[in-house]
Amino acid sequence: MSEFWIYFQIGLKHVLDIHAYDHVLFLIALTIPYLFKDWKRILLLVSLFTIGHTLALLLSVFGIIAIKVNIVEFLIPITILITAIFHLFTAGKATKNEGVNLIFMVTLFFGIIHGLGFSNYFKTILGGSPSSKLLPLGEFALGIEAAQLIVVFVVLILSYIVQTVFRFSKRDWALVMSAFIIGVVIPMIIESPIWNR
């Protein structure tokens, strides 16, 4: 049980680390247009992101995929930017069911990108054969899922307060938060080491 708690905590800290806030930014961008009544869809999106993240770690642990750190560190803020821009342009519009599958697939793909960003560190904290890393990987994934749900819950509470107490419309909330995230993430892209040659 103590070993489970170790990797579960690493997963929690990976998401909730104040110095590595890109994960939290993505979750905020993902959650912006939703309310508590949309909990099933949010849970599915967050779980798909975790699955993508875990799949990337799994492929990395078994040596199936390897990608340069600079490229991944550049792509992560790009995924946040795309999500925020999407919600900026769709703010206040009713979600069409035909777009749901695309959003789910994109979220899964973005999870893979974010997972690749953590893969090198994850491999260094685990010794032994790739198969011996499967259980710790599952425990780590549960920690990530728990931390993501905490972030989503906080965003939904803030959304509820802003929309009920301060009388923001759902559209205005989505516009303001999307613009805020875009403002935070653009410097991350500009300062990316990928531009250094």
Side-chain angles (χ1 to χ4, degrees), residues 4-138:
F4 167 82
W5 186 240
I6 288 167
Y7 292 110
F8 184 83
Q9 277 188 312
I10 293 170
L12 275 175
K13 288 174 183 172
H14 169 59
V15 175
L16 301 177
D17 182 5
I18 194 75
H19 302 293
Y21 53 87
D22 54 348
H23 206 127
V24 172
L25 268 181
F26 180 79
L27 290 168
I28 294 169
L30 191 68
T31 311
I32 287 168
Y34 301 111
L35 303 169
F36 277 110
K37 67 180 177 69
D38 305 312
W39 68 270
K40 285 181 185 173
R41 183 165 183 185
I42 299 167
L43 182 62
L44 184 56
L45 282 168
V46 168
S47 297
L48 281 169
F49 186 75
T50 305
I51 290 166
H53 197 281
T54 307
L55 182 62
L57 292 177
L58 194 64
L59 293 172
S60 177
V61 162
F62 280 94
I64 297 167
I65 192 168
I67 190 164
K68 288 183 179 177
V69 175
N70 282 359
I71 294 171
V72 176
E73 293 301 323
F74 173 72
L75 289 176
I76 287 172
I78 294 291
T79 64
I80 301 165
L81 182 67
I82 290 168
T83 307
I85 289 173
F86 176 77
H87 288 142
L88 188 72
F89 286 103
T90 59
K93 295 178 183 171
T95 310
K96 293 178 181 172
N97 287 335
E98 58 262 29
V100 169
N101 290 339
L102 177 64
I103 291 167
F104 289 160
M105 293 311 295
V106 169
T107 303
L108 179 70
F109 178 68
F110 285 178
I112 292 170
I113 292 171
H114 282 248
L116 289 172
F118 192 69
S119 62
N120 286 336
Y121 175 72
F122 189 77
K123 283 192 284 189
T124 62
I125 62 172
L126 283 178
S129 66
S131 58
S132 70
K133 297 176 183 179
L134 290 176
L135 186 59
L137 181 59

Side-chain angles (χ1 to χ4, degrees), residues 131-171:
S131 58
S132 70
K133 297 176 183 179
L134 290 176
L135 186 59
L137 181 59
E139 294 160 350
F140 174 75
L142 288 173
I144 283 181
E145 183 76 355
Q148 290 183 158
L149 292 174
I150 290 167
V151 172
V152 166
F153 187 69
V154 169
V155 173
L156 289 174
I157 287 173
L158 285 173
S159 172
Y160 177 79
I161 291 168
V162 167
Q163 291 180 53
T164 54
V165 176
F166 298 104
R167 302 286 182 199
F168 265 58
S169 68
K170 185 179 172 184
R171 180 179 176 273

